[in-house]
Amino acid sequence: MHQQLLDQLGTGRLLLIHDRASAPACGMDADDHEDGGHRSSSKSEGRWGGNSAHWSQEKKLESRHPKLRPLVQGVLKGLSTRGFQPIIFYGWRSVEVQRKKQREGKSHVTFSFHNVTNQDGTPCSYAADIVDQRWNWEPPAQKNGYWAALGAEAKANNLYWGGTWHHPDRAHVQLVPNERLKHLRRACGY
Ligand SMILES: [Zn+2]
């Protein structure tokens, strides 16, 4: 296992984890199916403003609940070991972006685990969307076994995976079960 990791380090497959500076800021630019057109908003200024889909991998990591960070790193490492090229598409996102996704039929909730903030309003996402940068949500991800691998790695890292839900959300992993959402939503004032 260790040797395998070293071998893969040699081929650069683990580059995304160990050298985030070299990673693309986002896996999707022209084809940003998540929230295209939502570049910046007068309501979201400052350090945590702008399009959170386009934040660096580092910033996406920082926008997550401290307990979620090492678990997602575990998932990324596990997927890389299997030969995939995982990237975090979304860590945190604003309620405004969430509502837009819901209106577009890309989400079934107006407040999600991605929208959680600390008391002072700084992002504290309980979820991450992890895709293979070669395929994003396109059919090759399924054909190449990426979603199944993500589900297995989520389970191995004690995360909840959205791929088994009634409305499957295959790129999605979260820290706590769905029944916790109501409480977090209230705590965030929504
Ligand atoms: Zn998600």
Side-chain angles (χ1 to χ4, degrees), residues 30-89:
D31 186 25
D32 182 350
H33 94 294
E34 285 288 294
D35 66 344
H38 191 87
R39 294 292 153 182
S40 65
S41 144
S42 55
K43 286 182 202 161
S44 47
E45 297 297 331
R47 170 149 170 66
W48 298 105
N51 186 339
S52 57
H54 292 182
W55 287 350
S56 68
Q57 293 289 302
E58 186 105 21
K59 194 167 172 183
K60 287 176 183 176
L61 180 70
E62 216 186 305
S63 75
R64 296 201 303 267
H65 190 291
K67 281 187 187 163
L68 183 60
R69 293 176 204 164
L71 302 178
V72 165
Q73 291 304 90
V75 170
L76 295 177
K77 193 169 179 177
L79 289 169
S80 297
T81 301
R82 291 168 185 251
F84 293 107
Q85 296 176 20
I87 55 160
I88 300 160
F89 193 89

Side-chain angles (χ1 to χ4, degrees), residues 114 129 169 172:
H114 291 280
D129 295 333
D169 192 354
H172 179 100

Side-chain angles (χ1 to χ4, degrees), residues 9 13 27-28 32 39 63 72 99 104 123 126 130 133-134 136 162 175 184:
L9 267 176
R13 275 184 185 161
M28 299 174 122
D32 182 350
R39 294 292 153 182
S63 75
V72 165
R99 298 213 161 135
E104 291 169 351
Y126 276 59
I130 305 171
Q133 64 175 343
R134 294 166 293 183
N136 296 315
L175 188 59
L184 286 165

Side-chain angles (χ1 to χ4, degrees), residues 95-144:
V95 166
E96 201 179 0
V97 169
Q98 182 67 31
R99 298 213 161 135
K100 185 168 181 287
K101 282 167 66 71
Q102 198 249 348
R103 281 196 303 273
E104 291 169 351
K106 291 168 186 165
S107 176
H108 294 271
V109 291
T110 53
F111 184 92
S112 81
F113 285 105
H114 291 280
N115 305 135
V116 182
T117 57
N118 295 309
Q119 294 267 303
D120 64 0
T122 55
C124 184
S125 177
Y126 276 59
D129 295 333
I130 305 171
V131 296
D132 187 299
Q133 64 175 343
R134 294 166 293 183
W135 311 313
N136 296 315
W137 280 265
E138 301 302 316
Q142 170 76 16
K143 276 186 214 136
N144 290 288

